[in-house]
Amino acid sequence: MKTLLVAEYRDGKLLGSANELINFAAKLGGDAVMFLVGNETDLPNFDGKLYLADITQAGEFNPGGHKQLLLEVIEKEQPQLVVLPHSSYGWDLAPRLAVALQAAQISEVVEIKEGQLVVPACNAKLRRTVKATTATTVATLQSGAFTPSNDPSGNPEVIKLESGSSGDIQFHGYEAAGAAAVDLSKAEVIVSAGRGIGKPENLPIIENLAKALKGEYGASRPVVDAEWAEPSRQVGTTGQTVAPKLYVACGISGAIQHLAGMKKSEFVIAINTDKDAPIGEVADVLAVADLKQLLPILTEKLNS
Amino acid sequence: MKLLVCIKQVPDMESRFKVNTSGDWYDETDLAWRMNEYDEFAVEQAVQLKEQIGEAELTVLCIGPERVKETMKKALAMGADRGAHIADDNSHQQDPFAIASLIASFAKDKGFDLIFTGLQSQDRGSAQVGVMVAELLGIPSLTTLVEFDYTDGTVNGKRELEGGSKAKVSCTTPALVSCQLGLNTPRYPTLPNIMKAKKKELLSIPAAELNPPTAQQQTINIAPPEKKGGGLVLEGDPAELADQLIQLLKEKTTVLN
Ligand SMILES: Cc1cc2nc3c(=O)[nH]c(=O)nc-3n(C[C@H](O)[C@H](O)[C@H](O)COP(=O)(O)OP(=O)(O)OC[C@H]3O[C@@H](n4cnc5c(N)ncnc54)[C@H](O)[C@@H]3O)c2cc1C
Ligand SMILES: Nc1ncnc2c1ncn2[C@@H]1O[C@H](COP(=O)(O)O)[C@@H](O)[C@H]1O
């Protein structure tokens, strides 16, 4: 099996997902080569061939152009598997490649089981083992699923590519995330509200528990999207990453993008009416209860 | 202007999922069905664009069995003009490429200026169908949009990136956009609009008429994840639960010191 790994640059820098790709290839076994649109100052620690297209010419976000460059490399290397991170770059580029290659695409791989790829379904409540029937397969890896325990070492053998075409999308630069009004990363206790709070009028239940525990309150994304809480309170891949001594997840199902922001917490309590909620996978304690009943009692007992 | 929005009907994610008898998907009995969350943002954006343009016609498309018509009616009540139901009782077994091929085959000669999809479906979560439709039709696609603007044949959007920053992107129509959570505030259909939606056209087309391709992938097995264990599960009376939680906080953490 030969694998082509597609690493990602953002804002002129190599992203850490490159190490996850390298670790994935090592777990899978067989040969691996790499592809990167970047520059020579910041390369992955990879012992093998690296096809490098210059980022100033090929553009940092130019999926059509990157696809053309990748197709050239695939023509030369004939990999059976092309692997990208399941990131805003990877899930955008992968289907473009899959269609061009008439390859099956397997999204968000979390595990390799007996040589087959496993992906989540239904908000991680189920796991599906999938097999492609095409000659080439394109796969994306769930962020964090293949993080190596030690960063790989090695120096790639760089093969330069001539810059490709410009594609049909214009990229006009980045807009930075809004400055955080509340810095959750410093809080020792965070009590977070999820969609399970039901309505904005219930937010004080969460705030009161946070106060009783001398902590801050946070929120999952739907609570922020609905404008029940300020954006700076959001925990997760597109919000803040936190690691408090205690994280209390109230009415939060435990989607991977939320877990990514809080799984390093020392002690996690989840309060959820659904015993099967995926948050149970990372929680030290799951209290199966209606938060509207449990939290006020808990707060009162803590205050007295 | 001709607009298309693709929606999927998915089960409520708070359901208890069981594996079906063929062992390749979840069992569909006793599930509550709703519109894929991401697609609500797609429908809302398409309706807003229709309101902005004035002269626009919005079709909502959904592939699935008869029951998906209920969800399509919600899109019609939100403001879509007509429904195209691609009837397929086995759509759950179709891979993303097959779903995308059906949509592309339907859309091919219809001259849609803009196609809206969700970033991903909540049950399958592949985030593939939208981009594949665009590639099959040979039109540009902008994905993961949290901001959308259309002016004179140009789409300007912001793609959401990890960490909360955004990439500013644009392309010209015809094009496809995939919608991320938070793009807008999806409206609730009003009662008069629900009544009006009942009179809107909702045509069913058998999937076989659109020549679906053969599957590119198979599900070998589907099962709940193996419990890693360790986590304590507490059930019972709220007052007792509160006492147990306080006891655990005292034993396992230093936050009450
Ligand atoms: C690219 C991308 C980035 C994302 N970034 C983030 C991010 O940064 N942060 C984030 O949080 N999400 C993010 N998401 C969204 C994520 O996938 C989920 O949709 C989201 O985390 C779900 O939030 P939730 O758990 O509050 O809501 P839901 O998934 O709807 O869960 C609600 C939970 O509340 C429980 N519940 C209901 N009623 C009660 C009650 N009375 N008492 C107790 N429990 C109750 C239910 O059982 C359920 O488990 C992102 C998604 C994508 C695609
Ligand atoms: N059965 C379907 N019918 C219509 N549109 C669909 C269907 N499945 C997926 N889509 C569209 O494709 C998007 C991405 O889905 P997926 O690739 O399954 O994650 C969804 O948000 C929908 O807009």
Side-chain angles (χ1 to χ4, degrees):
Chain A
M1 168 91 92
K2 190 181 210 175
T3 307
L4 172 65
L5 308 172
V6 183
E8 176 182 357
Y9 250 49
R10 169 99 42 85
D11 240 348
K13 283 197 254 353
L14 180 74
L15 296 189
S17 54
N19 292 338
E20 300 179 30
L21 295 169
I22 296 168
N23 186 35
F24 170 86
K27 282 199 166 155
L28 193 68
D31 288 346
V33 295
M34 236 175 170
F35 170 90
L36 173 70
V37 179
N39 60 53
E40 272 175 299
T41 60
D42 196 2
L43 295 176
N45 299 328
F46 176 64
D47 263 326
K49 274 196 245 172
L50 172 82
Y51 288 88
L52 180 70
D54 183 60
I55 199 155
T56 49
Q57 288 171 45
E60 194 159 297
F61 183 71
N62 172 17
H66 292 199
K67 176 182 80 177
Q68 285 310 330
L69 288 163
L70 269 161
L71 291 176
E72 279 171 36
V73 174
I74 291 164
E75 175 75 33
K76 223 181 286 172
E77 292 286 342
Q78 300 285 325
Q80 283 90 44
L81 185 62
V82 183
V83 189
L84 302 92
H86 194 71
S87 64
S88 53
Y89 176 74
W91 68 60
D92 185 276
L93 182 53
R96 300 176 201 264
L97 271 180
V99 171
L101 293 167
Q102 295 185 302
Q105 184 190 328
I106 299 177
S107 297
E108 215 184 349
V109 175
V110 291
E111 195 189 337
I112 310 168
K113 205 161 145 190
E114 289 153 19
Q116 307 286 359
L117 303 181
V118 182
V119 299
C122 298
N123 191 14
K125 283 186 162 182
L126 293 170
R127 281 188 167 201
R128 214 157 56 89
T129 308
V130 203
K131 190 180 150 175
T133 50
T134 46
T136 321
T137 306
V138 176
T140 61
L141 306 184
Q142 184 177 82
S143 162
F146 294 94
T147 308
S149 37
N150 294 306
D151 282 353
S153 58
N155 282 311
E157 172 202 333
V158 176
I159 302 161
K160 288 195 180 156
L161 295 167
E162 286 307 314
S163 71
S165 56
S166 56
D168 51 13
I169 293 171
Q170 277 73 51
F171 170 53
H172 311 284
Y174 297 109
E175 183 180 290
V182 200
D183 186 2
L184 293 179
S185 66
K186 294 210 173 64
E188 293 205 333
V189 176
I190 298 172
V191 182
S192 280
R195 181 154 34 202
I197 67 168
K199 49 182 182 190
E201 291 76 17
N202 287 332
L203 194 64
I205 306 180
I206 307 290
E207 284 184 80
N208 291 342
L209 178 60
K211 261 184 230 145
L213 288 164
K214 301 188 188 62
E216 276 292 351
Y217 77 94
S220 71
R221 175 159 186 158
V223 172
V224 170
D225 282 344
E227 297 178 7
W228 300 349
E230 310 138 57
S232 59
R233 302 243 174 220
Q234 185 181 314
V235 174
T237 34
T238 45
Q240 297 201 50
T241 303
V242 300
K245 283 187 176 161
L246 172 66
Y247 189 87
V248 189
C250 310
I252 292 178
S253 64
I256 175 72
Q257 296 90 356
H258 188 83
L259 302 187
M262 50 64 73
K263 66 181 175 204
K264 297 223 171 80
S265 306
E266 278 174 42
F267 197 76
V268 177
I269 296 179
I271 293 155
N272 203 304
T273 41
D274 179 3
K275 201 178 166 181
D276 295 336
I279 189 81
E281 287 291 308
V282 298
D284 297 282
V285 187
L286 167 65
V288 184
D290 183 339
L291 66 90
K292 296 189 290 293
Q293 290 174 357
L294 177 57
L295 296 200
I297 301 175
L298 181 61
T299 307
E300 199 186 294
K301 286 186 190 264
L302 284 166
N303 284 340
S304 63
Chain B
M1 216 182 166
K2 287 184 79 177
L3 310 175
L4 177 70
V5 57
C6 303
I7 64 166
K8 184 176 186 182
Q9 188 190 51
V10 296
D12 191 316
M13 290 301 134
E14 285 167 35
S15 312
R16 274 223 120 110
F17 291 98
K18 286 181 295 230
V19 175
N20 65 7
T21 45
S22 48
D24 60 359
W25 201 230
Y26 49 77
D27 185 84
E28 297 198 347
T29 42
D30 299 332
L31 293 178
W33 299 91
R34 46 165 294 172
M35 193 187 301
N36 178 37
E37 194 180 351
Y38 296 80
D39 302 346
E40 290 185 6
F41 296 95
V43 174
E44 176 62 33
Q45 203 59 53
V47 173
Q48 285 187 14
L49 179 60
K50 182 177 132 74
E51 289 166 346
Q52 174 196 326
I53 301 288
E55 301 270 304
E57 189 188 74
L58 172 59
T59 304
V60 55
L61 176 153
C62 182
I63 305 166
E66 191 63 20
R67 63 165 151 74
V68 306
K69 284 186 173 169
E70 270 322 298
T71 300
M72 296 183 75
K73 282 181 193 151
K74 180 176 180 190
L76 292 172
M78 284 172 78
D81 298 301
R82 62 158 56 103
H85 167 224
I86 300 179
D88 184 353
D89 286 344
N90 298 315
S91 62
H92 62 282
Q93 281 163 335
Q94 307 274 25
D95 58 34
F97 181 70
I99 297 287
S101 301
L102 286 171
I103 298 173
S105 161
F106 170 85
K108 196 171 56 212
D109 304 318
K110 299 203 172 54
F112 291 112
D113 299 285
L114 258 172
I115 302 177
F116 295 82
T117 70
L119 168 64
Q120 61 186 22
S121 56
Q122 287 174 286
D123 55 354
R124 213 173 238 282
S126 73
Q128 294 177 29
V129 169
V131 182
M132 285 184 168
V133 169
E135 292 295 296
L136 289 168
L137 293 173
I139 59 173
S141 57
L142 302 178
T143 68
T144 331
L145 293 193
V146 284
E147 275 181 51
F148 170 93
D149 173 78
Y150 170 84
T151 320
D152 299 334
T154 301
V155 178
N156 271 291
K158 288 186 187 157
R159 305 188 66 226
E160 183 183 61
L161 310 175
E162 292 71 19
S165 63
K166 292 166 194 158
K168 293 180 269 184
V169 289
S170 67
C171 69
T172 53
T173 55
L176 181 144
V177 296
S178 93
C179 304
Q180 164 65 322
L181 305 170
L183 172 63
N184 49 45
T185 308
R187 69 193 68 192
Y188 290 102
T190 60
L191 194 58
N193 285 341
I194 292 172
M195 300 313 288
K196 263 193 243 158
K198 292 196 170 137
K199 296 200 191 72
K200 289 183 180 172
E201 175 187 311
L202 210 179
L203 269 185
S204 281
I205 308 154
E209 280 181 18
L210 297 168
N211 300 318
T214 51
Q216 293 183 327
Q217 49 185 290
Q218 292 159 1
T219 300
I220 303 175
N221 161 277
I222 186 161
E226 286 156 34
K227 286 263 174 264
K228 285 186 209 89
L232 190 63
V233 179
L234 302 177
E235 286 175 275
D237 170 64
E240 280 168 29
L241 284 178
D243 288 333
Q244 283 173 296
L245 288 176
I246 291 171
Q247 195 54 35
L248 281 162
L249 287 177
K250 282 184 188 152
E251 285 167 15
K252 308 272 186 186
T253 75
T254 52
V255 301
L256 297 186
N257 295 354

